Amino acid sequence: MEKRELKQGILKKLMSRFMRGGEDKAVNKDGRSKIRALVVDDSMVNRTIHHKLLQNLGIENQVVGNGKEAVDAHSSGNYFDLILMDMDMPVMNGIEATRRLRAMGVRSLIAGVTTRSLEQEKQEFMEAGLDDYQEKPLTAAKLVSIIHKINQSSSTPR
């Protein structure tokens, strides 16, 4: 399968997963909803890598440097279909940010992306409300894995 066909297939699956009636979402020229992602990481290098990976898949994305900025972005009315959340950040860490987002009713799919690999730390992060967990560095293959897991659970009410 060509790279372009793979991208189109992934985007088609994402589109079907994230089409939600009644929500204020941007649309493409052809009337389809755009996929929006939020990258939350205090490392400029990681933010840049994650931004580019998403961009290469045709996913519109915004980057912020800590969990408080992620909460603030949602509080100001922004909507994201996918959130890539780091665990260890200043101001507000990923665990607290994920808890607050879920408490606010945010239904975005949240994937924890961190260097932490201890099972207890992973469990605490998952219990905060993550839909998926990946160890850094995030690669195109890991991002596709997140997308596939998201699509597999699309029939389960959230």
Side-chain angles (χ1 to χ4, degrees), residues 3-131:
K3 185 177 179 180
R4 180 177 168 88
E5 290 173 355
L6 178 62
K7 281 185 188 179
Q8 288 175 341
I10 291 169
L11 286 174
K12 185 176 179 181
K13 286 182 179 182
L14 277 172
M15 295 299 286
S16 66
R17 170 63 178 101
F18 294 118
M19 291 296 285
R20 295 185 179 135
E23 293 186 5
D24 182 25
K25 295 179 71 172
V27 294
N28 292 322
K29 293 177 192 173
D30 62 4
R32 292 183 302 163
S33 294
K34 291 181 184 178
I35 304 302
R36 291 186 39 119
L38 178 64
V39 175
V40 187
D41 201 304
D42 61 319
S43 165
M44 176 63 83
V45 172
N46 289 330
R47 284 194 310 261
T48 302
I49 291 168
H50 298 171
H51 171 76
K52 292 291 185 188
L53 284 170
L54 289 162
Q55 192 174 48
N56 288 343
L57 286 173
I59 299 172
E60 179 182 318
N61 65 94
Q62 177 180 332
V63 297
V64 296
N66 63 61
K68 182 179 182 323
E69 291 175 358
V71 170
D72 290 347
H74 280 84
S75 294
S76 66
N78 289 310
Y79 174 82
F80 302 94
D81 302 294
L82 172 64
I83 302 170
L84 298 179
M85 181 74 72
D86 184 26
M87 182 189 289
D88 296 312
M89 297 176 286
V91 184
M92 183 186 294
N93 68 31
I95 294 170
E96 181 61 24
T98 300
R99 284 186 184 127
R100 288 196 186 184
L101 289 169
R102 293 301 189 208
M104 292 167 53
V106 172
R107 295 178 49 136
S108 304
L109 296 164
I110 305 175
V113 184
T114 184
T115 56
R116 300 292 189 101
S117 60
L118 293 177
E119 192 58 38
Q120 182 179 357
E121 293 169 325
K122 177 182 174 181
Q123 187 64 32
E124 182 181 9
F125 205 3
M126 289 297 295
E127 288 172 359
L130 293 183
D131 296 296

